[in-house]
Amino acid sequence: MNRHFTPLLPLIVVLAACASPGGLAPQGKAIDPASLTATQSLAAPSGEWPADAWWSRYGDPQLDRLVSAALHDSPTLALARARLERARAQAGMVASNDGLQVSANAEGAQQRLSENYIFPPGVAGSYTSLNRVALDFSLELDFWGRNRAALDAAVGQARAAEAEAAGARLLLASAVTRAYLQFDRLHHLHAVADATLMQREKLQELVRLRQKAGLETKAEVQQAMGSIAAARAERSALDAQIVLVRNQLAALTGQGPDATLTLSPPTLHDSAATLPGALPADLLGRRPDVAAQRWRVEASARDSDAARAGFYPNVNLNAFVGLQSLGLGNLFESGSRVLGVGPAFHLPVFDSGRLRANLAGRHADQDAAVAQYNATLVDALRDVADQLASWRGADAEGRDQQAALARYEEAWRLTEVRYKAGLASYTAVLAAETPLLAQRRLTAELRSRRLEASAGLARALGGGYTPNTPSN
C-alpha cells in the first residue's frame, strides 16, 4: 500500500491549496475566573463546603426524606438523565467512526451485458445475472485528526449534559429546601400568633374584671375582643399559607397533596445559619452551570478543529473478500473468489465555498459558546456575592434586632404591670404591644432569612458538585 500511496503525496499537497481555511478564526475569548474579584469573598478553606448533601446540615430528618424523594422520583431529573444518555450515545456513535467498519453484502442483478466492453463473445450481448457475496472492510486513516476532534466534541457535549443533570439535581434539592424553610418560617410565625392570642385572651379577662369593678368601660372590652379576633384571623391566614407550602412540597417530591398532610413542624438547627469561616477558592468552577458552559466551549472548539480538518485529504483503506460471478449457478465455485485491498482518497478542490462557510459557522458557534460562558461566569459571581450580602445583612440586623426585642419585651412587661395596678390605660397596653409583636415577627423573619441565605449560598457554590475539568 505504501508503494502506491507515496507517488500521490506531491499531488495531494498541491491540490490541498485549492480549498483553504486561511483567514478564518474564532473571535471570542473566555474570561479567566481569576480575573474576577469579589470584595465580599472569604479566605481559602481548610475543608470542603458545601458538601454534596448540603441540606443535611440543617439536622432535620424530615427534610432529608423530602429531598431524597424529590431526587428519586422527579420527572425533571428523569428528563435530564435521558438527555445525558442521549449525549453519551452520540459520543459512542462518533467514536465508532475511527474504527474498522465491516459489512456483509449480497447483490444480484439481471442485465444485458455490453458487446463492446470486457465480456468475451458468447457472453457479450446476452442476458444474465451479476452476483456478488462479500465482506467489505473500510478503515478511515485519520491523519488530520478530524475524527478525534469530532469525538472530543461529542465527549464535551456529554460532559456538559452530565453537568446540566447535576445542575437540575441541585436546583430541585434547592427548591425543596427553600420550600421547607418557608414551611419552617410559617410555623414560627404561627407560634408567634398563638402566643399573641394567648396573651390577648389573658388580657381580655383582666379587662372584664376591671370593667366589673368599674375601672374600665365597655369600649375597652370591645377593643380587647377585637384584638383577639384580629389575632385569630392572622393565625387562620398562616394556616392557609402552611397548606399551600405543603402542596408545593408534595409537587416538588412528585406526590399528591395528601402525601404531605402528616408533615410535622420542622426541627431545623439554627447553627446551620452560621456563616462559614471560609469558602472554596474555586467556588465559581464548582457550579454545574459554569462547568456545563466550559465544556460547551471546549466542544465547540473541537467542532471547529473537525471542520478545519475537512479541508485536507480524506484517506480510507478499503478491502473486500468474497465471491463474484456471471450467473447464479457458478457463484459458489472456488474460481469465483474475489479479494482486494487498496487506499481511497478524497480531496476537496472546489466546492463553491461550502467548506469555508461551514468552518465560519463553527467559529460563530464557538464565539457564542464563549459569550455564554462569560455571561454565566459573571452571573455566578453576582449570585455568590448577593447570597453573602444577604447572609451578612441578616446577621447584622439580627444582632440589633435582638437588643430591640429585649427592650420592647421589658416595656410591655412594665406597661402590663402598670395597667394591672391601675396606673396605665388599656390604650397604653395596646401601644406597647404593637412594636413588641412586630419585633417578634421580625425575629422569625430574620431567622428564616439567615437559613434561606445559607441555602442560597450552598446553591450558588454548586451544592458540593465536583466538576470534570476540560482540557485546555
Side-chain angles (χ1 to χ4, degrees):
M1 193 264 296
N2 292 336
R3 182 174 64 256
H4 297 293
F5 177 70
T6 302
L8 297 176
L9 284 176
L11 178 61
I12 292 173
V13 173
V14 172
L15 291 178
C18 297
S20 171
L24 298 177
Q27 303 300 316
K29 184 177 180 181
I31 295 176
D32 180 5
S35 67
L36 300 177
T37 58
T39 57
Q40 302 185 72
S41 61
L42 302 180
S46 57
E48 184 176 338
W49 191 92
D52 184 52
W54 52 271
W55 55 87
S56 63
R57 67 193 299 266
Y58 294 104
D60 190 328
Q62 188 169 244
L63 172 60
D64 295 343
R65 289 193 296 270
L66 288 170
V67 176
S68 178
L71 297 181
H72 184 267
D73 299 326
S74 169
T76 302
L77 291 188
L79 177 60
R81 286 192 293 268
R83 288 174 175 169
L84 173 59
E85 292 305 318
R86 185 182 185 280
R88 287 174 174 170
Q90 183 65 31
M93 290 177 59
V94 174
S96 68
N97 292 334
D98 211 25
L100 179 66
Q101 309 295 315
V102 182
S103 61
N105 299 286
E107 305 169 8
Q110 188 75 19
Q111 69 177 69
R112 182 184 184 277
L113 304 180
S114 172
E115 298 177 23
N116 300 303
Y117 191 44
I118 61 174
F119 303 106
V123 177
S126 65
Y127 286 87
T128 187
S129 61
L130 296 177
N131 304 285
R132 181 178 183 271
V133 177
L135 290 176
D136 292 305
F137 303 83
S138 177
L139 178 64
E140 183 174 352
L141 305 179
D142 192 24
F143 290 123
W144 323 112
R146 181 179 63 179
N147 290 344
R148 181 63 200 175
L151 176 58
D152 289 344
V155 170
Q157 293 292 350
R159 293 292 192 188
E162 182 178 343
E164 288 177 343
R169 181 179 182 273
L170 172 60
L171 289 178
L172 182 58
S174 178
V176 173
T177 302
R178 290 176 70 88
Y180 195 77
L181 294 180
Q182 282 299 311
F183 192 54
D184 174 76
R185 167 183 166 271
L186 292 172
H187 274 88
H188 275 79
L189 290 175
H190 200 280
V192 172
D194 285 340
T196 300
L197 180 59
M198 290 180 60
Q199 178 177 295
R200 289 179 179 178
E201 287 175 343
K202 290 180 179 179
L203 193 58
Q204 181 195 34
E205 185 62 26
L206 178 60
V207 171
R208 284 178 176 173
L209 293 174
R210 288 173 61 86
Q211 183 197 25
K212 290 180 179 179
L215 300 176
E216 296 288 3
T217 66
K218 188 175 181 180
E220 280 76 15
V221 175
Q222 292 299 317
Q223 277 186 315
M225 294 176 64
S227 66
I228 291 175
R232 286 174 176 165
E234 181 180 357
R235 190 172 65 174
S236 296
L238 291 171
D239 286 335
Q241 293 180 53
I242 288 174
V243 171
L244 293 178
V245 174
R246 278 197 180 120
N247 292 343
Q248 182 183 8
L249 286 169
L252 288 171
T253 55
Q255 305 176 84
D258 291 347
T260 54
L261 290 178
T262 58
L263 288 181
S264 57
T267 56
L268 300 174
H269 291 174
D270 289 350
S271 59
T274 302
L275 189 65
L279 295 179
D282 60 343
L283 55 89
L284 294 182
R286 291 163 60 94
R287 287 174 59 111
D289 56 345
V290 172
Q293 292 303 327
R294 185 66 186 91
W295 274 112
R296 295 204 185 283
V297 170
E298 181 77 5
S300 64
R302 296 300 283 157
D303 269 335
S304 295
D305 292 340
R308 183 178 293 273
F311 287 86
Y312 307 126
N314 183 23
V315 183
N316 287 278
L317 181 63
N318 298 322
F320 61 89
V321 58
L323 302 170
Q324 189 175 32
S325 70
L326 290 174
L328 188 59
N330 55 358
L331 176 61
F332 294 101
E333 294 180 359
S334 60
S336 298
R337 296 192 308 273
V338 290
L339 175 67
V341 61
F345 305 96
H346 171 75
L347 177 68
V349 176
F350 180 75
D351 63 356
S352 300
R354 180 182 60 84
L355 287 174
R356 287 182 62 83
N358 179 55
L359 181 57
R362 299 297 176 88
H363 284 164
D365 290 340
Q366 185 176 347
D367 290 341
V370 169
Q372 184 62 49
Y373 169 75
N374 291 341
T376 303
L377 194 62
V378 171
D379 186 66
L381 181 64
R382 177 203 57 76
D383 191 11
V384 172
D386 286 351
Q387 298 302 330
L388 279 172
S390 296
W391 198 334
R392 287 172 169 169
D395 268 350
E397 187 177 350
R399 289 190 293 270
D400 294 335
Q401 185 273 332
Q402 286 299 313
L405 176 62
R407 290 185 175 90
Y408 282 118
E409 291 277 9
E410 180 64 14
W412 157 257
R413 188 187 67 80
L414 293 174
T415 304
E416 185 183 27
V417 170
R418 286 171 56 84
Y419 178 71
K420 289 179 179 179
L423 300 176
S425 67
Y426 185 69
T427 303
V429 174
L430 294 180
E433 183 190 49
T434 299
L436 174 60
L437 293 180
Q439 288 300 315
R440 287 175 176 174
R441 295 188 188 98
L442 185 57
T443 298
E445 295 287 358
L446 286 174
R447 177 182 180 276
S448 179
R449 278 176 53 188
R450 288 193 296 272
L451 289 171
E452 288 184 0
S454 70
L457 186 58
R459 176 196 52 76
L461 294 177
Y465 170 68
T466 303
N468 292 291
T469 303
S471 59
N472 295 316

